[in-house]
Every structure is written in structure tokens, then in C-alpha cells.
Amino acid sequence: MDNSDVSKALYEIADYLELQGVAFKPQAYRKAARNIEMLPGEIADLLNEDRLGEIPGVGKAIADKITELMKTGHLEYLEELRAKIPQGVIDLLSIPEIGPKTAMVLYRQLGIEDVDSLKKAIFEHRLSGLKGFGVKTEERILRGIRVFESRGGRIMLGNAFHSANKLIDYLRSKHADATVSVAGSLRRMKETIGDIDILVATSKPGEIMESFVSYDSVEDILAQGDTKSSVRLINGIQVDLRAVLESSYGAALQYFTGSKEHNVELRKLAISKEMKISEYGLFDRVSDELVAGADEAEVYDSLGLQYIPPELRENRGEIEVAMKRELPMLIEYDDLLGDLHCHTEWSDASGTIEEILRKASEHGYEYVGITDHSKSLRIARGLSEERLRKQIDVIHSLREETGGPFLLAGSEVDVLEDGKLDYPNEILEQLDYAIMSIHSKFNLDERSMTERIVTAMSNDVVKIFAHPTGRIIGQRLPYTFDLEKVIESAIDQDVALEINSFPERLDLNDTNVRRAVDAGAKIAIGSDAHDPSQLAYTRFGIATARRGWAKKSDVMNTLPLDTLRKMWGI
DNA sequence: GCCGTTTTCGGCCCGACTGTTTTCAGTCG
């Protein structure tokens, strides 16, 4: 019974209460559930120390329920709720267009408890017989089911980024006088995106909406109004477009960037200052006068806050810190001076060392490290000792003849089950540095895995621990190990923890970056490029660093080459 | 059910779009 089991139960309670039409309690349970999800430590420890009440949103009633659940593995209150309404009705809530009211009508009047029976009922036109339901409603719900079935989860940041930029370019090309910007979770650079939000400032909203819904890749128009339209693209991604006047562009950008939780806090803050905030601006509550609207930074300033970068807007304490004007100076998107994690055709990637070098030069880097796979990783054509020696020679000779970024000879070395590295030390010592990573034996118990990692870190040639948790978004959970101990060891042994910039990895993730940085560990942002074009992936790694509150000084490869070599022995 | 720089009680974010309504409810973000 861990943090996520507890928050899952609380979310379930919230859903049931919402179905029953209970007011306010659902929000209370969800708030508690969210805060437990974000808890840095184990909720079991808080329970043992009788400190559950310290979790924001957890009062006596919820604390009692958590206690019962954790001590007995059973929660009577939840069981009672489950007995009243079948669980399938809750699943209906994840279909767009179906909220609690609709779900309950479908269940009570037609006995619908799952998506399939809902589809059947629609095809038999049984919904249109219900009070308040017409043919259009049936069609709308059917569209919702299609969206639900096609999305199969959230989209990776890298994919959404690409789709959004293409669409934004299209809108800009057709409406040169309009201001077009991405908003929503994409602007916050969250690792996965639910849908794409785009904001336009224009005096002619109708024309923008017309262009938007007639975009080539639009499959289905879900809604079309003067200020707001929604479409589904052929790749299944939903895009919402909002249009506002220039005078409220800043407030709208703030509003549509979210997160929802951040905005809720901001509105409460506005109320406490006798103001109100909406997508049209920040207004004086009494006189209704506009306080700020055209400029996003002004909205924050007028609320007495330091400007909060989009990546921090998750209601994870940023508002309180901004109030004290103590937000960190986050690493910027052009702060990297090199990339220390790149693959070539020597192992499992495409592209030559020379091509990587050229790309690194285009990125304006001072240095770039070649780190192909080590010998045990046969599936990735890991380099034998002999080939690695040869590659080091090639790198040394290329280093002599080219200008441009300085070429470093590295290796992404597998950590074997016992914590030893995949090459003997006499070869490793010829490298400028090694990256350690785990690509096998993911199923060790927590103690063995932690021991394995800490042992590998103690090797002096190791400077970076790549994709430290091993998770792959939507495919593989992190392996089990003690992250706190690994962070400690990384600090002791002068090993940087990587943010792997590959869209499906982004590992460390934002919250773990924050833990590492808070503890004083150093971060390395690597592209893990398997094609020269993928050097550009570091954009997503930097975004993740920013979401983890990392400063430039926390990141190893923002250092100039000579400092990097001196400080890190590379 | 939680919470308190007006509060231990009375609040709890705000507006657009759609459909079926003839003044509004439901859903979404």
C-alpha cells in the first residue's frame, strides 16, 4: 500500500461522490489525492509518525480513511460507495462529453455500465428517447467515444510539439497580423500532453476560426464558435483554438497556459486582493476596472508576484515562492555548451562521428561526446574492446584535424548485475569519461539494485548516470531502487544524474530533478541522439530541468570546456 | 471535507459552447 494506492482510492471516492451529485467533497478528496501523489516521501512514514494531517488537504476525516486503508488494506466507506454504483459507470466519465449527470442518467434509465453497451444503445437510438437527449447529443457522445478510443492515453511532448508547430506556422502564414502562441500543457512542456491548446490575438476571430477548421489535417470539427473552436486531427490529437483581442492577450495566455491547479490558486489570490481574474484580464472587483490584460508578466506583477515561467506553473509551491520573489533563475534553452550523450553508426545509431560533429557545430556547442554502447548490449551492436580502442583512435585523429566543437571520447557503459562495468579499467582509462547505464536485469530487488548502482558509481571514470530510473513513458515502469541513496552517492562520487532528453524517456523526470537539485546533486542533460538530427532533443531535456526548478549552475554541460575538464576530470 | 492576513462557519474559480430549453443545464478547460 504505497502513495499511489492511497491517492487512487481517494480519486475513486471523489468520482463516486461526484456521480451522486455531492457538492464540494469531490474537490476535497481530489485535492488530498493530488497532494499525496506529489509527496516526496512515503506516506507510510507519515502514518507511523502520526503526521498525515500535515499533508495539505488532509483533515481528520480523510486521515482516518487513509489510516484504515493502510492498516487493513480495506476501506469500508469506499466499499459502500462501490456497492451502490457499478465501477463501469466511473469508466464512462473518461469519455469526453460524458460527465457525472449524463453517466448517471445512462446508468439509471438504460442500465449502461460500459463503453460497449453505450455504443450499442447509441446505434439503437435509445438515448434520443430520454428527456433532454436528442439526436445531436447521441452524435456528440459517439464522437466522444471515438476520441476516447483513439487517444489511448496522452501524447508524448516531442510528438505534440511537432504537430503544434506545423499548425501554428500554417495559421501565421494565413494571418500575418495575428499573434499566435501555444498554450496549455505544451507551453508548460509537460512530458505528456492531453491536447494542444493554441491562442490567437486578433480583431477578426471569425476568419481565424474558419482557417483553423479548414486546416488540411483536421479530421473532425468538435465545436466552432467565435472565441473558441475544437478539432480532432487525423493523427487523433485534439486541438483547441481560442481567439481574444490584443488587449486581453496576456491574461488569456496566462489563463490558457494553466495548469488548472495553478490558475485556481491564482484566482483565490486575486480574490484576497479584491480583484478577479479571467481570460479577459485582471479586474478590480469593486470598480470592474481593468488592472492588467495585454501583457502576461503584468498580470503576475499586479498580483504582487514575480513572473512565473510556464514550466513551473503546476501549483507545486511556485506561487508562495514567487510572492517572496525567490524563484530560481532557471536554466535557459540556449545555456548548453555541449552534449555528452550521442550515438553513431559504430553501434545502433545512424550517422557518422563527423555528422554528429557538424550538428554540434550548428548548435553552437564547444564540445560533444561520442558515447556508443558497450559490448554486452549485443542488440545495440555494442562495441567490442577492440572496436572501442579503434574508435578512440579515430576520435583522437579527428580532434586534430577539425576546428569546431571539441570531440570527446566517451562510452555508454552497461552496469552488470554485480555493479561492475562492462569494460575492464585499462580500456576505460583511455576514455575521456564514461556514462553508466542499466539496460539489463531490471528485476532486482530494491537493495540489490541500489547496491548495483552505488557500486558502479564508485568507479572514477564514471561521470554520468544515464536515464537513472529506466522508465519509458507508457511502456516500462522505473526499476525499483532507493533514489535518495543514489542521489547521495552521486553527490559523494561526483557523478551527474542525467536528464535523458529522448521524448519517451525524459528520465530523470521533473519531480525527481527537483529532489536531486534540492539535495545538491549535479545534472547532465544529454540528447541520447541515435541520429544527428536528434541532438535537438535536448530542448525537451532542458524543459524537464526547468520543470524541476534547475538553475544553469546545476547542470554540468553548461560549463565551458576548460572548466568542465578541470572540475570533472573529463 | 477542508480551511482561515476579515472567518472555527460559510465559503469553495470563471466563462464558452452545445443542445434542447423557451431561460438553462451539462461539459469542458
Side-chain angles (χ1 to χ4, degrees):
Chain A
M1 188 70 52
D2 63 12
N3 300 18
S4 70
D5 296 321
V6 174
S7 67
K8 227 168 98 186
L10 296 181
Y11 279 125
E12 196 180 339
I13 292 174
D15 284 339
Y16 276 120
L17 293 174
E18 191 157 64
L19 283 173
Q20 295 184 349
V22 177
F24 302 114
K25 290 190 191 185
Q27 290 98 300
Y29 276 98
R30 288 206 180 100
K31 185 177 179 185
R34 244 195 331 269
N35 286 326
I36 289 167
E37 261 180 329
M38 294 182 342
L39 225 50
E42 292 298 323
I43 190 164
D45 296 338
L46 291 178
L47 172 69
N48 291 336
E49 294 161 23
D50 202 20
R51 290 167 51 210
L52 288 176
E54 291 177 21
I55 304 168
V58 175
K60 175 142 194 347
I62 292 184
D64 284 348
K65 291 188 176 74
I66 296 173
T67 306
E68 181 190 340
L69 182 64
M70 296 195 64
K71 288 208 164 138
T72 67
H74 176 96
L75 181 52
E76 190 52 35
Y77 181 65
L78 178 56
E79 296 305 328
E80 283 166 17
L81 290 169
R82 281 178 178 160
K84 276 190 226 163
I85 303 171
Q87 252 169 306
V89 183
I90 283 188
D91 300 336
L92 294 179
L93 294 175
S94 27
I95 300 170
E97 313 295 340
I98 296 188
K101 299 287 189 299
T102 307
M104 279 311 273
V105 170
L106 293 174
Y107 168 58
R108 288 257 155 82
Q109 316 255 351
L110 299 175
I112 290 170
E113 299 178 23
D114 60 66
V115 182
D116 283 337
S117 57
L118 175 57
K119 272 203 275 197
K120 192 155 169 272
I122 292 174
F123 289 129
E124 292 166 0
H125 293 295
R126 280 190 281 138
L127 268 58
S128 50
L130 299 172
K131 188 165 178 284
F133 286 67
V135 180
K136 295 260 187 144
T137 303
E138 278 189 338
E139 286 171 5
R140 236 153 64 93
I141 293 178
L142 193 57
R143 273 204 304 272
I145 294 176
R146 288 216 194 92
V147 171
F148 170 76
E149 287 179 335
S150 72
R151 71 184 174 198
R154 296 169 64 90
I155 321 145
M156 240 96 66
L157 173 63
N159 299 337
F161 201 76
H162 183 67
S163 287
N165 282 337
K166 264 173 58 183
L167 176 52
I168 287 175
D169 286 346
Y170 160 82
L171 290 172
R172 283 185 181 146
S173 72
K174 297 206 77 167
H175 303 272
D177 53 335
T179 311
V180 186
S181 166
V182 64
S185 53
L186 189 52
R187 182 161 180 247
R188 303 199 312 277
M189 299 291 270
K190 227 178 140 181
E191 62 190 30
T192 62
I193 306 295
D195 55 29
I196 295 173
D197 291 293
I198 293 175
L199 178 69
V200 179
T202 177
S203 50
K204 292 171 257 173
E207 292 176 16
I208 286 270
M209 293 301 168
E210 211 37 64
S211 304
F212 175 60
V213 299
S214 52
Y215 179 55
D216 262 358
S217 307
V218 168
E219 164 117 329
D220 206 356
I221 301 169
L222 305 172
Q224 184 179 1
D226 248 4
T227 64
K228 179 182 167 185
S229 297
S230 294
V231 301
R232 186 164 53 92
L233 301 180
I234 39 185
N235 58 15
I237 302 179
Q238 182 174 327
V239 187
D240 296 341
L241 181 82
R242 338 263 180 151
V244 296
L245 296 172
E246 287 283 354
S247 55
S248 49
Y249 181 68
L253 189 58
Q254 193 293 309
Y255 179 84
F256 294 124
T257 297
S259 65
K260 200 175 164 183
E261 292 77 14
H262 174 88
N263 285 357
V264 168
E265 288 309 310
L266 227 52
R267 287 206 198 95
K268 287 184 193 162
L269 180 64
I271 291 171
S272 77
K273 292 181 181 290
E274 295 289 311
M275 294 189 271
K276 71 166 186 177
I277 184 170
S278 74
E279 58 262 58
Y280 298 106
L282 182 65
F283 298 90
D284 186 299
R285 218 174 175 79
V286 186
S287 68
D288 233 20
E289 235 168 88
L290 182 75
V291 181
D295 182 68
E296 190 184 41
E298 252 177 53
V299 172
Y300 282 98
D301 193 49
S302 305
L303 285 167
L305 296 172
Q306 190 181 358
Y307 178 76
I308 302 177
E311 294 92 335
L312 298 188
R313 301 181 195 170
E314 298 291 346
N315 193 27
R316 292 175 180 161
E318 71 278 5
I319 294 176
E320 291 81 347
V321 179
M323 223 176 275
K324 294 186 261 172
R325 311 214 153 251
E326 287 174 358
L327 287 178
M329 283 278 288
L330 300 182
I331 178 174
E332 294 292 338
Y333 284 95
D334 58 1
D335 273 344
L336 294 190
L337 294 182
D339 190 339
L340 295 169
H341 192 167
C342 303
H343 296 271
T344 71
E345 60 187 19
W346 282 70
S347 63
D348 63 343
S350 53
T352 61
I353 300 175
E354 289 91 333
E355 282 168 330
I356 291 281
L357 199 53
R358 263 201 298 281
K359 268 290 170 196
S361 174
E362 283 174 30
H363 280 264
Y365 288 156
E366 282 190 20
Y367 49 92
V368 62
I370 304 297
T371 52
D372 277 308
H373 290 289
S374 65
K375 65 179 183 198
S376 289
L377 202 60
R378 298 219 169 73
I379 193 170
R381 304 203 311 124
L383 271 55
S384 66
E385 291 167 25
E386 193 194 332
R387 293 194 73 229
L388 179 58
R389 280 206 181 84
K390 211 163 154 193
Q391 191 188 45
I392 294 172
D393 287 343
V394 169
I395 287 173
H396 284 170
S397 59
L398 274 172
R399 195 186 276 178
E400 314 255 305
E401 41 186 83
T402 55
F406 191 83
L407 202 51
L408 292 162
S411 173
E412 182 180 1
V413 187
D414 265 48
V415 176
L416 307 179
E417 188 174 356
D418 59 2
K420 292 210 176 69
L421 298 180
D422 195 21
Y423 291 121
N425 266 341
E426 66 255 31
I427 297 184
L428 292 173
E429 281 159 10
Q430 296 176 37
L431 295 167
D432 292 309
Y433 67 101
I435 297 178
M436 59 177 258
S437 59
I438 290 178
H439 290 118
S440 62
K441 300 275 181 191
F442 297 119
N443 291 329
L444 301 189
D445 62 76
E446 175 172 335
R447 244 187 63 192
S448 315
M449 187 60 99
T450 307
E451 190 60 31
R452 175 186 186 185
I453 295 168
V454 169
T455 304
M457 278 183 170
S458 68
N459 193 313
D460 276 347
V461 72
V462 171
K463 305 297 177 193
I464 297 169
F465 181 19
H467 41 77
T469 80
R471 71 96 179 245
I472 294 177
I473 298 172
Q475 288 178 50
R476 194 166 74 204
L477 291 171
Y479 33 75
T480 312
F481 70 107
D482 186 335
L483 181 61
E484 301 299 330
K485 277 209 183 110
V486 166
I487 290 173
E488 263 174 51
S489 165
I491 296 168
D492 287 348
Q493 304 287 346
D494 289 322
V495 172
L497 298 172
E498 183 187 64
I499 299 174
N500 188 288
S501 305
F502 238 70
E504 47 265 75
R505 285 205 186 261
L506 295 181
D507 174 15
L508 298 175
N509 69 8
D510 50 8
T511 50
N512 285 336
V513 169
R514 196 161 164 194
R515 285 162 84 171
V517 167
D518 277 351
K522 293 298 175 197
I523 298 292
I525 299 176
S527 68
D528 199 0
H530 280 67
D531 183 283
S533 66
Q534 294 174 346
L535 260 71
Y537 281 168
T538 48
R539 169 170 202 91
F540 308 124
I542 295 170
T544 303
R546 288 170 62 85
R547 291 180 55 84
W549 296 50
K551 305 182 293 293
K552 180 178 175 181
S553 58
D554 295 317
V555 178
M556 149 193 222
N557 49 320
T558 60
L559 293 172
L561 180 64
D562 50 345
T563 319
L564 181 80
R565 304 201 83 174
K566 238 178 275 162
M567 276 182 58
W568 285 84
I570 282 179

